[in-house]
């Protein structure tokens, strides 16, 4: 039997660090090669092999895949929603070309599996906002959402046309304490914990009643691994699965934090990210993920808040 050899691209980001550590526990540290443009993240040091890689350099990527006998790629490198709006053409270029490089090498080298995350950002103002279904109007208005939607179509295309076993999740906003978020519209839900602990106050860049779908990182990591471990016959969606855990507003998360830090206060100064958030769903329907491969979240707002405050 062929041994699994995994390459994680974008391993030093908010998701990459925790996903790499989880994969190393499962597959053995030497079987998970971490890579990023950045210097190796402190939490990864000494936990397994690391290489510096620009995913835009297809030749280098191809050589790396052959040299290390890679069988699976997790592609996490991307320009996120808020950063993408500052330089749309760059975001489009990086988000699309990185995926095409990986899909094409997966096809050429007959890789076993590819993982690439999509986002709730594929939805737009014309999508139903509550319990947004898997299949519905998809008219993203940010360049990030446009690139994720196009990416979903490419994934399905490479699966149907060339048999590439690519799998994807539409992550909600992800909350974590180990590595910092990378320029997304839901970053407030991470910043608020740090500010609550350090200064007992926070100014939110989203307005008080802006509801967004959110998920605690341990759930996101488990969802990713469960999807990738599922038998291929169970994967009916080859674009990207809706994935859900909780939905809350800045006002609600502040109230939850106040239960632990009574003198915490919040104020609101919405900026350009408010418009991005206003076009996204309030909550997601992830029935398909639950039915196909048994997805079930563990963390709600109360449980996540306690865990974040315990660890920061
Ligand atoms: P992040 O910005 O924290 O990390 C991305 C990493 O990719 C960074 O370490 C960066 O240095 C690296 N990178 C950028 N360009 C690269 C290149 N050319 N070559 C190699 N590495 C490069 O992002 P994240 O939050 O960890 O997100 C990972 C994936 O999950 C992205 O596709 C993102 O769109 C998706 N996602 C994230 C969230 C979230 O809330 N964090 C939500 C939905 C979807």
């Amino acid at each position: 039997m062929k041994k699994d050899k995994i390459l994680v691209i974008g391993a030093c980001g908010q998701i990459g660090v925790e996903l790499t550590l989880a994969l190393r526990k499962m597959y053995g540290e030497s079987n998970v090669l971490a890579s990023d443009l950045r210097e190796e993240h402190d939490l990864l040091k000494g936990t397994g092999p690391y290489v510096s890689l620009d995913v835009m350099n297809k030749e280098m990527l191809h050589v790396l895949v052959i040299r290390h006998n890679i069988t699976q790629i997790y592609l996490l490198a991307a320009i996120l929603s808020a950063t993408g709006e500052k330089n749309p053409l760059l975001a489009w270029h990086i988000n699309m070309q990185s995926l095409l490089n990986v899909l094409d090498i997966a096809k050429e080298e007959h890789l076993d599996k590819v993982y690439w995350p999509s986002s709730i950002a594929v939805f737009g103002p014309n999508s139903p906002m509550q319990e947004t279904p898997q299949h519905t109007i998809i008219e993203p208005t940010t360049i990030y959402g446009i690139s994720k939607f196009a990416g979903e179509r490419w994934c399905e295309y490479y699966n149907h046309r060339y048999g590439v076993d690519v799998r994807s999740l539409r992550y909600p906003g992800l909350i974590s304490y180990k590595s910092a978020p990378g320029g997304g519209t839901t970053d407030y839900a991470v910043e608020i914990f740090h500010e609550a602990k350090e200064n007992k106050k926070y100014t939110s860049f989203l307005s008080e009643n802006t509801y967004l779908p959110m998920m605690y990182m341990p759930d996101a990591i488990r969802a990713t691994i469960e999807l990738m471990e599922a038998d291929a016959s169970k994967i009916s969606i080859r674009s990207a699965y809706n994935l859900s855990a909780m939905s809350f507003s800045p006002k609600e998360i502040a109230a939850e934090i106040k239960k632990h830090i009574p003198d915490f206060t919040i104020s609101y100064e919405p900026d350009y990210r408010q418009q991005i958030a206003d076009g996204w769903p309030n909550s997601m329907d992830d029935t398909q993920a639950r039915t196909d491969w048994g997805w079930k979240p563990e963390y709600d707002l109360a449980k996540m808040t306690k865990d974040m405050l315990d660890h920061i």
Side-chain angles (χ1 to χ4, degrees):
M1 207 174 79
K2 200 161 62 158
K3 215 170 157 205
D4 293 310
K5 266 300 236 29
I6 297 175
L7 172 65
V8 182
I9 303 171
C12 296
Q14 190 194 6
I15 301 170
V17 169
E18 298 203 37
L19 188 59
T20 302
L21 294 173
L23 290 169
R24 283 182 173 160
K25 257 194 197 152
M26 281 182 67
Y27 290 92
E29 52 192 46
S30 60
N31 295 320
V32 180
L33 178 59
S35 72
D36 202 294
L37 265 186
R38 301 193 221 178
E39 243 180 63
E40 186 174 16
H41 194 283
D42 280 349
L43 290 175
L44 294 182
K45 283 182 182 156
T47 71
Y50 184 80
V51 288
S52 173
L53 172 76
D54 181 353
V55 67
M56 302 299 279
N57 187 335
K58 189 177 177 188
E59 248 172 72
M60 283 293 292
L61 174 62
H62 204 156
V63 167
L64 197 76
V65 165
I66 293 171
R67 189 180 293 157
H68 291 268
N69 298 311
I70 297 299
T71 61
Q72 297 187 27
I73 295 180
Y74 285 69
L75 170 59
L76 304 171
I79 304 283
L80 304 198
S81 57
T83 312
E85 290 309 294
K86 292 182 185 155
N87 194 340
L89 289 181
L90 181 74
W92 170 259
H93 180 54
I94 289 183
N95 292 355
M96 291 325 305
Q97 200 54 50
S98 59
L99 176 61
L100 292 175
N101 287 353
V102 167
L103 287 175
D104 215 47
I105 290 170
K107 174 190 131 206
E108 290 268 303
E109 298 304 328
H110 306 286
L111 298 193
D112 289 344
K113 284 176 208 169
V114 172
Y115 178 75
W116 168 84
S118 183
S119 160
I120 55 165
V122 294
F123 299 110
N126 295 326
S127 311
M129 290 279 160
Q130 306 294 345
E131 293 295 308
T132 309
Q134 176 73 40
H135 301 287
T136 185
I137 296 169
I138 296 194
E139 294 175 354
T141 51
T142 61
I143 195 61
Y144 176 70
I146 294 169
S147 70
K148 287 295 185 189
F149 183 42
E152 289 188 3
R153 303 323 304 155
W154 274 112
C155 287
E156 192 182 280
Y157 184 85
Y158 264 77
N159 176 262
H160 289 183
R161 174 109 197 243
Y162 304 117
V164 173
D165 188 350
V166 53
R167 305 175 184 200
S168 179
L169 299 170
R170 289 172 179 155
Y171 287 137
L174 299 180
I175 299 156
S176 66
Y177 59 88
K178 285 190 185 160
S179 45
T185 303
T186 52
D187 289 7
Y188 93 86
V190 177
E191 290 171 9
I192 195 170
F193 286 104
H194 292 277
E195 292 297 316
K197 272 262 172 123
E198 280 161 34
N199 303 316
K200 296 191 179 358
K201 61 179 184 322
Y202 179 64
T203 304
S204 169
F205 59 74
L206 296 183
S207 65
E208 58 184 330
N209 291 320
T210 307
Y211 282 83
L212 287 169
M214 298 279 189
M215 180 174 281
Y216 197 31
M217 190 61 87
D219 269 344
I221 300 296
R222 190 168 53 78
T224 307
I225 290 175
E226 284 178 9
L227 171 73
M228 290 298 276
E229 290 290 299
D231 195 276
S233 63
K234 294 197 167 151
I235 311 294
S236 69
I237 303 287
R238 289 298 183 163
S239 49
Y241 279 96
N242 278 11
L243 189 72
S244 170
M246 59 182 113
S247 166
F248 57 78
S249 62
K251 191 175 166 185
E252 283 183 2
I253 192 175
E256 195 59 42
I257 290 172
K258 255 172 121 41
K259 291 181 188 167
H260 303 267
I261 306 174
D263 48 348
F264 172 68
T265 58
I266 185 164
S267 55
Y268 303 93
E269 280 176 23
D271 65 14
Y272 69 101
R273 289 167 281 194
Q274 182 65 45
Q275 204 187 341
I276 301 178
D278 287 343
W280 288 358
N282 298 341
S283 60
M284 302 269 280
D285 176 351
D286 63 356
T287 307
Q288 196 75 50
R290 291 173 189 248
T291 312
D292 282 5
W293 44 276
W295 167 241
K296 197 166 180 283
E298 271 178 21
Y299 286 87
D300 60 12
L301 176 58
K303 197 170 167 192
M304 177 271 290
T305 301
K306 183 176 182 318
D307 204 65
M308 281 293 281
L309 291 171
D310 284 349
H311 284 96
I312 284 176

